[in-house]
Structures are given as structure tokens and as C-alpha cells.
Amino acid sequence: MENSTQESQLRSETFVTYESPNTLYAMAFSSSSATTRHRRIALGSFIEEYNNRVDIVSFDEETLSIKTNPNLSFDHPYPPTKLMFQPNSSNPLRKSSDVLASSGDFLRLWEVRDNSIEPLSVLNNSKNSEFCAPLTSFDWNEVETRRIGTSSIDTTCTIWDVEIGVVETQLIAHDKEVYDIAWGEAGVFASVSADGSVRIFDLRDKEHSTIIYESPQPDTPLLRLSWNKQDLRYMATILMDSNKVVILDIRSPTVPVAELERHKASVNAISWAPQSVRHICSAGDDGQALIWELPTVAGPNGIDPMSMYSAGAEINQLQWSAAQPDWIAIAFSNKMQLLKV
């Protein structure tokens, strides 16, 4: 096993590369404090057929090495559209192990033990047993960790109580496919859609939503949404086939507070810094991961990134580790690269 670990890695002081047998897409850092030195990272394959894989690797920050364990790998139906470990909680679903969620055909929960992975549940709200509307994304509520919200191509968002495995509520959220969902508070979430809008929902008033942004060109889909957990006034979204990252302030709807336009091709992924109010990272088809510091007031010539990393291939995914905020993970082709910030 040591050999395979060494072969599949390149490392320097500032980055560590892990090579997978498959193209990678979904990616998640564990925030569990149980194993502080070795942090788990879940990696989902992107194979355009039914049989896909999820591998759990561990990153050792001291030795800058990535360890694999064949027992921490499992088959997944279809490529997972998102992976996410349960956020740190005083009331975890499993006391002594990590719980991983995945989305694809359904929302699935997995228990990640030291040397094995057990499926916990398959959460399906489809009234028609033959067909399901694929899930595009989900988000695990950090405040109320029994809640996971999913987004689907059937225009709905579904809020699950994962502790008891039942639907808390299902909303028709948009006029077209919903592509992403993000929690703000315990009972407040936002979503983006092919209809080109960002909408905020409050579970205390399910009949109404607030549209806080719409694509400048009608029906330009919004693909990703990231809510700034350090300052909930701010969120970021990206448009299909656009080099822009749009920064929104929910206090002043409709007009972005900033547009970050230094990518040379479409942006695919965005992530706010887990421990800083004003920093965000974006990555895209130009093979670049850019870190931005948002000024208090944007100047007339736009905003330049404060740092830039070039992967040399289209970057499909990006995650900023909450447990190790010095590290950002990017996925391109069959590689995951951890970048020291």
C-alpha cells in the first residue's frame, strides 16, 4: 500500500497532488475533530455510467502525504453530484465515526469508520417508485445538523430530517431546474436555478421567497451558490458559461456588490474562506484557482485577485477546508491537488 501511496503523489511545501484511477468531481473535507492530524477527504468519481466510486483518503499535514485505504472505498450509483461530511455538532449522528452524505439519484448517508464504510440510509421522496428526479446538490445545515436540504432538476428543494429519515418539507423553489442550495441560518436557505434567479426561503413562511438576484440575460442559468458563513449578508453565485463571480449583499437585492472578472474562461466552482470574512476562492476552465480579497468599496477598474494558482487543466471542483483553513483542494482531470494558502 505504501508503494501505491508514493506513486500516486507529487508534493512540495505548497501543494500535494493525489492521482485517482478515475476522473474526479465531488470532493469533501471532514470537519471531525476526532482525528486532528489525519484529515479525511472524500473523492467521488465522474464516470458517465451507473457504476461509480467514492474513495476516502486521509491527508497528513505534518508529512504532506495522502494515505489511501482500500477498505474506505465504496461503489456509488451514478457520479455523486456532491459529497459532504456531517458538520461538527454536539449531537452527531454517530458518536465515534464520521457520517458522509452523497447526492445523485437519491440522498444517501454513509458511516465512515476507521477501517470500513457502512451505508446508513437512502432517502427517497419520489412518489413514483420507477423514476426519480436526479439531485443536483445538497447542503448540510451547520446549526441544525439534523437538516439536509437537497436541490433537484424537478424544480423542488426538499428539507430532510436525517435523524429520523423523514421529509420536513418540500417546496417548488423555482420555475426550472434547481442547481444548488445553501443554508444561511437554521431555518433559512437559498437556491439557484436554470431560471436565472437566486431565491431565499424561510421555513417559518414557506409560501413566500425573496428573489435577491436575477441573471442580466433572461434565463441564463445560475449554477452554484455559496453563502458566506462568516458574514451571512454576503453570498456568491456563478452563471453558466461565464467568467464572472457575482458577489451579492442580501440587504441590497438585484444589484451585485462586486463582480470578479479575471478568469479567462467559465468559472466552475466557488468557496468562501472558512475563517475570514472577506476572502473567496474561484476556479474554472482556464485552469486557474484565484483567491480574492473583497475590498470595502470596489474601485472603477474592478478587483484583481490577491493570489493565483495554475493547474494546467480545467478545474472542475474546489473546496476550502474548514478544519485546516490553510488548505484548498481542487480537482482537475483525475487529480486532486491540495494547495497551501
Side-chain angles (χ1 to χ4, degrees), residues 217-278:
Q217 285 80 34
D219 283 348
T220 302
L222 300 177
L223 298 184
R224 290 282 165 256
L225 181 68
S226 184
W227 206 324
N228 186 341
K229 295 295 195 292
Q230 299 299 315
D231 187 340
L232 291 170
R233 295 172 299 181
Y234 296 103
M235 52 175 73
T237 186
I238 55 177
L239 296 83
M240 182 180 272
D241 298 329
S242 167
N243 71 331
K244 275 197 305 199
V245 178
V246 178
I247 308 294
L248 305 169
D249 181 337
I250 62 174
R251 297 166 301 175
S252 55
T254 70
V255 182
V257 289
E259 293 188 332
L260 311 177
E261 303 184 73
R262 297 296 187 259
H263 278 282
K264 296 178 178 67
S266 302
V267 180
N268 295 325
I270 43 176
S271 180
W272 290 96
Q275 293 185 342
S276 157
V277 177
R278 308 203 68 82

Side-chain angles (χ1 to χ4, degrees), residues 40-181:
R40 283 176 173 154
I41 304 168
L43 302 170
S45 66
F46 185 85
I47 305 165
E48 293 189 49
E49 54 189 56
Y50 182 79
N51 294 321
N52 274 262
R53 298 286 293 168
V54 173
D55 297 307
I56 312 288
V57 300
S58 60
F59 171 51
D60 185 330
E61 200 173 4
E62 283 182 27
T63 60
L64 295 181
S65 60
I66 293 169
K67 305 267 190 307
T68 56
N69 179 345
N71 296 325
L72 298 184
S73 181
F74 59 93
D75 290 324
H76 192 278
Y78 302 105
T81 53
K82 184 166 182 178
L83 296 168
M84 193 174 178
F85 285 95
Q86 181 174 18
N88 267 339
S89 161
S90 55
N91 188 26
L93 290 168
R94 289 290 183 274
K95 289 280 184 285
S96 59
S97 53
D98 267 334
V99 175
L100 178 73
S102 68
S103 56
D105 49 356
F106 305 118
L107 179 66
R108 298 165 189 269
L109 297 183
W110 315 81
E111 182 178 0
V112 183
R113 300 177 182 165
D114 286 344
N115 211 32
S116 66
I117 293 174
E118 302 298 328
L120 287 178
S121 53
V122 178
L123 302 171
N124 170 18
N125 193 36
S126 173
K127 304 293 181 281
N128 183 332
S129 58
E130 266 187 87
F131 303 104
C132 59
L135 302 177
T136 51
S137 187
F138 69 91
D139 195 23
W140 206 321
N141 196 313
E142 290 183 10
V143 184
E144 192 69 78
T145 54
R146 63 188 173 85
R147 276 185 180 149
I148 289 181
T150 63
S151 57
S152 170
I153 65 167
D154 68 3
T155 76
T156 65
C157 289
T158 305
I159 309 304
W160 287 91
D161 182 329
V162 294
E163 277 179 11
I164 53 176
V166 300
V167 170
E168 201 175 318
T169 189
Q170 185 172 39
L171 305 167
I172 294 176
H174 289 267
D175 304 327
K176 292 186 177 178
E177 298 96 324
V178 190
Y179 286 140
D180 205 2
I181 182 171

